[in-house]
């Protein structure tokens, strides 16, 4: 297990949005449970814990979702200017089948009742809570040597039907999860020339946004 030799800063630096490095092995149940436990320990507004996790391993379901995502990828590519389409073409956007495990993270706005402490004036804090669970999951997975890839090329209605979400429960993310050969040192979107990151000193402001 990687975690014994890593501190939290190591894991943050190592974390990548994984697409092509999955080994093809399926993450074992004990490791998956530790990762989901870490996700479930995330902070949430009013302690509402508005998330659920749907674990998908049926090959036919993974394949069906992968085919849907491929269609959405083509739609996005065809809407790009030619030079951006050429940059985008070699970028792999998912590892749905290769990872062997999909984790659908959902959000329930009704969880915690009508008066969720802390959500009254900023209702988005509910969905933010689900995203914090995803971050916990992602970092825990990285510490375990398990790669995670966030797939966002899909129609939410399609995904809701695919995994049988009840009315009022919305999908936040499909996460591909599986053991990896390595974590890339440079994020894919930088390696392929889509977009570079910016330095911290451009993101930090003092007192006011213009400060």
């Amino acid at each position: 297990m990687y975690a014994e030799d890593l501190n939290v800063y190591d894991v943050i630096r190592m974390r990548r949005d994984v697409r092509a490095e999955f080994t093809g092995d399926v993450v074992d149940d004990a490791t998956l449970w530790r990762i989901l436990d870490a996700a479930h320990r995330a902070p949430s507004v009013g302690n509402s814990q508005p998330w659920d996790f749907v674990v998908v391993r049926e090959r036919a379901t993974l394949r069906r979702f992968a085919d849907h995502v491929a269609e959405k990828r083509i739609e996005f590519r065809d809407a790009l200017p030619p030079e951006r389409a050429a940059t985008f073409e070699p970028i792999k956007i998912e590892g749905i089948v290769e990872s062997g495990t999909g984790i659908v993270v959902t959000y329930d706005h009704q969880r915690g009742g009508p008066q969720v402490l802390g959500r009254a004036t900023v209702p988005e804090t509910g969905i933010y809570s689900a995203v914090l669970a995803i971050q916990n999951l992602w970092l825990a997975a990285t510490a375990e040597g398990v790669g995670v890839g966030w797939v966002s090329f899909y129609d939410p209605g399609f995904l809701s039907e695919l995994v049988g979400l009840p009315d009022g429960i919305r999908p936040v993310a499909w996460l591909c999860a599986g053991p990896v050969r390595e974590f890339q040192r440079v994020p894919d979107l930088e390696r392929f020339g889509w977009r570079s990151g910016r330095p911290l000193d451009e993101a930090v402001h003092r007192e006011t946004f213009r400060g």
Side-chain angles (χ1 to χ4, degrees):
M1 186 169 63
Y2 283 46
E4 296 173 355
D5 302 318
L6 300 171
N7 64 45
V8 66
Y9 292 102
D10 294 329
V11 173
I12 289 169
R13 285 190 290 267
M14 285 175 59
R15 186 213 58 82
R16 290 290 177 265
D17 198 354
V18 175
R19 310 296 180 181
E21 291 76 27
F22 292 110
T23 65
D25 297 328
V26 175
V27 60
D28 66 89
D29 287 343
T31 302
L32 178 62
W33 195 256
R34 287 194 298 272
I35 292 168
L36 292 174
D37 180 66
H40 194 57
R41 292 175 184 272
S44 62
V45 64
N47 201 27
S48 56
Q49 296 181 304
W51 50 70
D52 285 277
F53 311 103
V54 182
V55 178
V56 180
R57 283 180 165 165
E58 287 288 343
R59 198 76 175 177
T61 306
L62 297 174
R63 183 74 266 165
R64 185 179 172 200
F65 187 61
D67 290 345
H68 172 73
V69 170
E71 293 174 2
K72 296 301 176 183
R73 183 189 192 283
I74 291 170
E75 290 177 9
F76 179 75
R77 182 202 63 195
D78 291 349
L80 293 171
E83 67 280 2
R84 291 299 270 171
T87 301
F88 174 70
E89 187 57 33
I91 299 175
K92 184 173 174 60
I93 64 162
E94 50 85 7
I96 296 162
V97 175
E98 299 91 329
S99 67
T101 300
I103 303 170
V104 181
V105 183
T106 67
Y107 171 65
D108 180 0
H109 192 71
Q110 302 306 313
R111 185 79 48 75
Q115 286 88 36
V116 174
L117 193 157
R119 200 183 68 188
T121 56
V122 188
E124 295 86 357
T125 52
I127 199 74
Y128 298 163
S129 300
V131 174
L132 285 170
I134 292 171
Q135 179 76 330
N136 268 24
L137 184 157
W138 212 330
L139 294 177
T142 302
E144 296 275 4
V146 172
V148 173
W150 186 329
V151 181
S152 55
F153 278 72
Y154 63 83
D155 176 75
F158 178 91
L159 181 52
S160 295
E161 183 274 332
L162 183 67
V163 298
L165 299 186
D167 291 343
I169 307 296
R170 59 175 285 191
V172 178
W174 176 295
L175 305 175
C176 306
V180 293
R181 295 184 300 274
E182 62 177 339
F183 291 106
Q184 292 287 349
R185 292 182 178 274
V186 179
D188 283 359
L189 296 189
E190 292 191 27
R191 290 194 301 120
F192 286 99
W194 180 261
R195 187 179 301 280
S196 297
R198 60 184 181 133
L200 175 62
D201 59 9
E202 290 185 9
V204 176
H205 308 266
R206 306 290 184 182
E207 310 300 340
T208 68
F209 191 84
R210 297 184 181 278

